[in-house]
Amino acid sequence: MRLSLLWSREFLTSRFILWALFISNLLGTVYGYIWYEAQLRETWANYPRWLIPFVPDSPTASLFFTLALLFLMFPATLSKYNRIHTLIEALAVVTSVKYGIWAVSIIFAGAYQGEVLVWQDWMLVASHLAMAVEAMLFVRFFKYGTVMLLAAGAWTFLNDFIDYSFGVYPWLPKALWDDVGYVAVFTVALTGASIAAGWIAMRAAKRI
């Protein structure tokens, strides 16, 4: 089997692959929200409750991608939701790339400063890298345009502002507790880079 087949349209949009990715991303999303349970409970008890949607960043990104796959699987049935469809696709790309790279970077930054990596960290590295990779692989099958990409970017920048203004950013490794300011700058810069990646990939896809 040719290696190029693995990222071909025929392979990636086959019913088997779409269903496999849908189920794995759905399960990962559920697991992600469970992972955030302690922080969600703390936020509910000690912060304004309107902040709750801004707490679980990675599982929400995974949810966007899961929904984007649903639109790919049932295009005729869901065609009447076109605007929602393209916004979800843009959100899936921007947030999956952003939080996929963010989580891996934070884990290794903590390790660099002395944090001991355990098996859960390696599981998170693999799953978050997969988020970023699958988002980039599927951009060429998505239909979002510049307007929806900018809307997704605005939401992601808003999420960054809420996270670091109100202190509801994802819990960091202990070694990074004194580096929150640097993490905030990195996070915002990564949002910008993810929007740029989504735009470049979108433009490249239109030339294919």
Side-chain angles (χ1 to χ4, degrees):
M1 183 179 68
R2 291 180 303 164
L3 189 60
S4 60
L5 178 65
L6 297 178
W7 56 79
S8 67
R9 175 181 291 271
E10 292 75 18
F11 179 76
L12 292 174
T13 60
S14 66
R15 302 304 288 181
F16 174 79
I17 293 299
L18 287 175
W19 272 111
L21 288 174
F22 176 80
I23 292 170
S24 60
N25 276 275
L26 181 61
L27 293 175
T29 299
V30 172
Y31 178 78
Y33 283 118
I34 293 172
W35 180 276
Y36 270 89
E37 180 181 3
Q39 187 173 359
L40 286 167
R41 288 181 180 276
E42 180 177 307
T43 303
W44 184 266
N46 300 300
Y47 293 83
R49 293 183 178 172
W50 63 268
L51 292 172
I52 288 291
F54 297 96
V55 173
D57 295 333
S58 291
T60 301
S62 178
L63 176 62
F64 289 140
F65 189 79
T66 304
L67 293 174
L69 289 173
L70 199 62
F71 281 104
L72 278 178
M73 294 163 67
F74 303 102
T77 305
L78 301 175
S79 60
K80 61 182 177 180
Y81 303 109
N82 185 55
R83 289 190 177 180
I84 296 174
H85 168 195
T86 52
L87 177 59
I88 287 174
E89 287 178 340
L91 285 165
V93 171
V94 173
T95 60
S96 294
V97 172
K98 186 259 183 76
Y99 292 113
I101 296 173
W102 185 92
V104 174
S105 300
I106 292 302
I107 289 170
F108 286 130
Y112 179 76
Q113 294 197 31
E115 199 80 16
V116 177
L117 297 184
V118 295
W119 72 266
Q120 290 97 331
D121 295 310
W122 293 109
M123 177 270 291
L124 291 172
V125 166
S127 61
H128 283 79
L129 279 178
M131 285 174 58
V133 170
E134 67 184 3
M136 287 289 94
L137 283 175
F138 275 82
V139 166
R140 59 197 160 119
F141 311 133
F142 292 163
K143 298 179 180 179
Y144 70 84
T146 302
V147 172
M148 290 306 182
L149 182 65
L150 291 175
W155 162 261
T156 311
F157 276 126
L158 174 63
N159 195 88
D160 295 342
F161 174 78
I162 296 295
D163 276 359
Y164 293 95
S165 296
F166 292 86
V168 292
Y169 51 82
W171 286 347
L172 301 171
K174 189 174 182 180
L176 298 181
W177 286 1
D178 59 348
D179 295 317
V180 174
Y182 294 110
V183 172
V185 171
F186 170 71
T187 301
V188 173
L190 190 54
T191 295
S194 299
I195 296 168
W199 186 83
I200 292 169
M202 175 190 73
R203 298 295 297 176
K206 290 180 178 179
R207 296 192 184 100
I208 297 175

